[in-house]
DNA sequence: TTGTATATTTGCAACGATTACATTTTTTAT
DNA sequence: ATAAAAAATGTAATCGTTGCAAATATACAA
């Protein structure tokens, strides 16, 4: 069976092994900017022998082939985005959902960085999204009694 | 002796202990977006008993008081910036120096994120700065034979 | 088909940045 | 001077990620 992800990998000189196709399918289907554990926990249901190392290796390969962009909106964890067009991200500190933002920073470069060559853009925002549940007065509290937003003591 | 950093901390409700003043002085003087090790290695010369945990604790406190912003321009390591005004960063992948960039993204939010509340901006670029040594043909190679810029195999 | 080289996956150990925590030291107030 | 509080220290633990060698799957030549 030849899936969309399958041909996508072939077009980009990535040997479409079973695991690679499944991981790419996950990224294309969910569009949820997942971290390694999200991918692993979801796929291991149908692939019990899946290894995290395989996911790390596969994503490193995808990044090298520019099929995936790494996303460091969270301090201690990489996330991955199968959309490699230039765009920004907004993370709601209440629901955790990451939203894509259109971006055009073409003009800024000239004035600010004369003679610089820019290879990567990373634009991330954090705040509260417009869902009612993310803007009500009683914010979620974590184990330290702080809201998700506030820095812990 | 009352230094500039000393009063700065007092003004922001941070008890200006010896270590805290020294760390803040380092940030204000160097403006080099350091990571923990850069601060530690520099300060331990005059403070042999300094502990890394103290630096982590102190920076966490500074961040909580909005005296310092964490910077995740590198994947696996936090850097710290004593300039908390909104601005962007450019990291040269050859010389590693991080340059501040003026930013004005005020307009973008309205259209893209209706009803969203933005608390943090993070805008990072990577590329080559305009120093001659960072643009010559023979780029530095790392142990894998890749340039600093290219992703490793 | 069989054998063999190559590519890929797996599991586990190791690494490095960060955090937890208990102890020690310093500061503050009485 | 003493007791209480705050801060700093050192070590162990945690967690995301990487290294590596063994196991498995794939491709290809004879």
């Amino acid at each position: 069976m030849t899936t969309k992800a399958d041909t996508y990998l072939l077009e980009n000189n990535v040997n479409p092994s079973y695991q690679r196709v499944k991981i790419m399918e996950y990224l294309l289907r969910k569009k949820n900017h997942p971290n390694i554990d999200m991918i692993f926990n979801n796929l291991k249901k149908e692939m019990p022998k899946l290894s995290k190392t395989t996911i790390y290796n596969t994503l490193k390969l995808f990044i090298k082939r520019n099929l995936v962009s790494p996303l460091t909106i969270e301090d201690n964890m990489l996330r991955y985005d199968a959309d490699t067009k230039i765009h920004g991200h907004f993370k709601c500190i209440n629901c955790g959902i990451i939203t894509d933002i259109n971006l055009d920073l073409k003009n800024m470069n000239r004035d600010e960085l004369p003679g610089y060559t820019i290879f990567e853009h990373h634009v991330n925002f954090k705040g509260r999204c417009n869902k009612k549940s993310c803007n009500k007065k009683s914010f979620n509290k974590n184990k330290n009694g702080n809201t998700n937003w506030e820095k812990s003591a």
Side-chain angles (χ1 to χ4, degrees), chain A:
Chain A
M1 175 199 56
T2 302
T3 68
K4 199 171 149 190
D6 193 287
T7 39
Y8 185 47
L9 293 182
L10 278 171
E11 285 166 4
N12 287 277
N13 298 311
V14 174
N15 193 340
S17 73
Y18 181 69
Q19 287 83 348
R20 288 171 180 173
V21 170
K22 287 294 183 188
I23 292 168
M24 180 53 79
E25 277 175 354
Y26 177 90
L27 292 171
L28 294 175
R29 174 164 33 91
K30 295 287 189 94
K31 300 180 195 302
N32 57 349
H33 313 87
N35 59 33
I36 293 288
D37 276 7
M38 293 165 75
I39 303 172
F40 179 72
N41 290 326
N42 187 287
L43 291 184
K44 78 176 175 194
K45 293 171 196 161
E46 49 175 329
M47 305 163 69
K49 297 207 61 189
L50 180 64
S51 160
K52 269 190 192 177
T53 306
T54 298
I55 303 178
Y56 278 106
N57 291 341
T58 302
L59 289 169
K60 194 164 290 188
L61 175 64
F62 288 173
I63 290 169
K64 199 180 169 191
R65 293 284 199 277
N66 274 309
L67 304 178
V68 161
S69 297
L71 179 60
T72 58
I73 201 167
E74 212 68 67
D75 291 343
N76 276 327
M77 198 184 313
L78 279 173
R79 290 170 174 270
Y80 300 90
D81 191 348
D83 181 358
T84 56
K85 294 190 307 296
I86 288 179
H87 65 283
H89 294 105
F90 174 93
K91 172 162 185 175
C92 175
I93 47 82
N94 190 67
C95 67
I97 289 174
I98 295 173
T99 311
D100 290 318
I101 311 173
N102 285 323
L103 267 189
D104 190 353
L105 303 180
K106 286 194 198 72
N107 303 325
M108 190 168 51
N109 317 345
R110 321 297 174 194
D111 315 337
E112 289 292 334
L113 303 169
Y116 283 50
T117 314
I118 292 179
F119 291 121
E120 284 187 36
H121 297 237
H122 297 285
V123 181
N124 298 318
F125 298 87
K126 294 186 196 175
R128 294 190 174 275
C129 73
N130 60 5
K131 289 203 298 294
K132 261 214 191 71
S133 52
C134 290
N135 282 280
K136 61 186 173 193
K137 288 295 184 302
S138 58
F139 295 141
N140 292 335
K141 298 289 202 305
N142 64 21
K143 65 188 161 91
N144 299 315
N146 300 302
T147 64
N148 289 344
W149 168 245
E150 292 168 336
K151 306 291 193 310
S152 297

